[in-house]
Amino acid sequence: MAATPAPTVRISADHARRLALRAQGMLGSPDRRAGARGVLRLLGAVQLDTISVLARSHELVPYARLGAVGRKPVEQAYWGHGTAFEYWSHAACILPIEEWPLFAFRRRANRVKGRVWGHQVSEEVYAQVIDQLRAEGPLTSTHLGGAKKTAEWWDWSDTKIAVERALAFGDVVVTERRGWKRVYDLAERAVPGDLFEQDLSDAECLERLVAQAGTALGVATRADLMDYHRLKGAQVDAALPASGLVPVAVEGWSAPAWADPAALETEPRGRHRTTLLSPFDSLIWDRPRTERIFGMSHRLEAYTPKHKRVHGYFAMPLLAGGRLAGRVDPAREGATLVARQVSLDGPRSVPALAEALREAADWVGCSDVRVERLDDEALRPELEKLLG
């Protein structure tokens, strides 16, 4: 680890929490005119996942910041309009198209490795896929010749291996999904020319990504900066001096931190969002950071055996007053939003829970809300009264 400069600013843990909330679009008036596209630009990355409970996670992220934004505008902000693309950032993510040049370092590294997820394919098949896309335009892997050899999820066809390899290398790009299937196109055709032609060095890519992560996080440790776009420690260390971020000391944080200097110029104030958060939301996707800032140890239990789950399959933290005030494991049954399991930090959070449940129900087209298991049953009468 590189030597850390002495911090120029000292801030309280509460100030750091509010900086993080504002940077992530959870404090202050949301930019509704910019919509979901604006949220994507603000965050720099929105994680994708196949799980869909109330909605898929990439829909829940703008909803958490903007409220009941239409689901069609969310899809239009991500796919089919040349404003975003899919690539590996924190995980598989939607990224603003402006960030295409910043991931050249990762595309080059993938090209050196020469394989994707351990799969290999002949250069002949690779060339055939590129030629087919050039001749026929954007295609799914099914239209290219099939995604799998067998029903097993990992048993990719040669065509699928080739097109995913081309995606990793940057020869193709995903700018659209149809029925949740990736639509591949040649990068030279799909990425705007001024962005496609930029040829940033690895150092320039990393400096700009670290700066972007620092801005999106508000205030961050080295580990936080590494996690946002899954960079290596040495990469962050090398990029920090030119990133524009400034060292700060946060009360109660054991590790050094950095902040966006523009964020330090004004006090983070404004209206707090009350909402349910996807476990894949960038406000909380980093478990150590979530525990450090909000005092909540939260993990996704979807892949935990049912009998070992503590908070439920897709427990969504409740954000209220700038703090994590509980968890809700939601589901849908027809026109009813079902809270299968609810835990709260006390009676003061009941109104916020009722507000979040009712807003979520309205957003997904449910007319009723039913709370099944409430960890503190003494809170049920007030909650049911507020839910109507």
Side-chain angles (χ1 to χ4, degrees):
M1 185 185 302
T4 303
T8 59
V9 178
R10 296 182 181 275
I11 62 176
S12 68
D14 183 70
H15 191 179
R17 177 183 59 82
R18 288 182 289 115
L19 283 174
L21 287 165
R22 184 177 65 182
Q24 284 281 302
M26 297 295 194
L27 177 62
S29 300
D31 187 351
R32 299 190 185 281
R33 292 184 64 184
R37 169 74 176 133
V39 170
L40 179 60
R41 288 197 302 267
L42 177 74
L43 302 180
V46 171
Q47 186 173 344
L48 295 165
D49 195 81
T50 58
I51 295 174
S52 180
V53 180
L54 294 181
R56 292 194 190 274
S57 185
H58 67 271
E59 297 174 288
L60 292 168
V61 169
Y63 162 74
R65 288 152 179 82
L66 301 173
V69 58
R71 298 173 76 171
K72 184 176 181 180
V74 171
E75 296 295 312
Q76 291 174 336
Y78 294 150
W79 291 304
H81 295 270
T83 57
F85 71 106
E86 289 187 33
Y87 204 63
W88 293 277
S89 165
H90 178 81
C93 288
I94 291 285
L95 304 164
I97 196 66
E98 293 84 1
E99 290 183 14
W100 169 264
L102 308 190
F103 286 87
F105 84 100
R106 188 160 284 164
R107 295 191 291 268
R108 285 191 287 262
N110 286 331
R111 195 176 289 274
V112 169
K113 286 191 296 185
R115 62 171 65 192
V116 180
W117 314 121
H119 296 292
Q120 289 184 314
V121 70
S122 71
E123 293 301 323
E124 181 182 1
V125 174
Y126 190 90
Q128 288 173 354
V129 165
I130 298 298
D131 288 345
Q132 187 175 353
L133 288 171
R134 181 169 285 112
E136 300 181 28
L139 297 170
T140 66
S141 55
T142 300
H143 292 127
L144 281 166
K148 298 177 183 179
K149 294 178 182 176
T150 66
E152 299 293 340
W153 68 269
W154 50 265
D155 196 14
W156 287 358
S157 69
D158 286 350
T159 297
K160 174 68 171 176
I161 295 170
V163 76
E164 286 294 327
R165 185 185 181 201
L167 176 63
F169 293 179
D171 290 334
V172 307
V173 67
V174 172
T175 59
E176 184 180 357
R177 287 213 176 202
R178 297 174 190 160
W180 197 241
K181 291 183 179 180
R182 283 175 165 174
V183 179
Y184 304 89
D185 196 5
L186 297 181
E188 63 194 51
R189 186 163 55 202
V191 178
D194 60 329
L195 297 174
F196 183 76
E197 292 169 5
Q198 287 188 36
D199 186 22
L200 302 183
S201 68
D202 285 9
E204 290 171 318
C205 292
L206 294 166
E207 288 163 7
R208 289 170 61 174
L209 281 174
V210 168
Q212 189 280 322
T215 300
L217 291 167
V219 59
T221 65
R222 174 178 181 263
D224 297 341
L225 294 170
M226 289 168 58
D227 184 76
Y228 205 79
H229 292 297
R230 295 287 165 85
L231 304 177
K232 297 176 181 178
Q235 292 173 324
V236 171
D237 292 340
L240 269 169
S243 69
L245 303 179
V246 296
V248 298
V250 181
E251 176 190 10
W253 289 22
S254 59
W258 285 262
D260 172 14
L264 296 173
E265 292 177 358
T266 58
E267 185 70 15
R269 293 194 179 99
R271 179 178 178 272
H272 286 287
R273 274 288 292 154
T274 296
T275 190
L276 298 177
L277 296 170
S278 163
F280 303 112
D281 193 297
S282 52
L283 180 69
I284 58 168
W285 66 18
D286 183 355
R287 288 171 57 189
R289 176 178 169 86
T290 300
E291 189 162 2
R292 185 187 336 120
I293 293 179
F294 296 106
M296 176 183 280
S297 178
H298 185 71
R299 59 172 294 180
L300 176 70
E301 297 180 331
Y303 306 108
T304 301
K306 188 174 182 179
H307 68 281
K308 293 184 178 181
R309 292 175 191 156
V310 177
H311 297 290
Y313 175 80
F314 195 75
M316 300 177 68
L318 169 66
L319 181 68
R323 302 182 186 278
L324 299 183
R327 298 173 175 88
V328 175
D329 185 32
R332 292 178 63 183
E333 294 181 3
T336 300
L337 186 154
V338 181
R340 290 176 170 167
Q341 183 176 343
V342 176
S343 61
L344 284 181
D345 64 3
R348 64 182 180 178
S349 298
V350 172
L353 173 63
E355 178 185 343
L357 288 173
R358 177 53 63 193
E359 184 182 67
D362 290 344
W363 180 56
V364 298
C366 290
S367 55
D368 297 311
V369 177
R370 185 175 79 247
V371 177
E372 293 186 341
R373 176 181 167 186
L374 188 59
D375 284 4
D376 184 355
E377 282 293 334
L379 304 178
R380 185 176 292 275
E382 182 185 1
L383 177 59
E384 293 190 344
K385 178 180 177 182
L386 291 171
L387 288 172

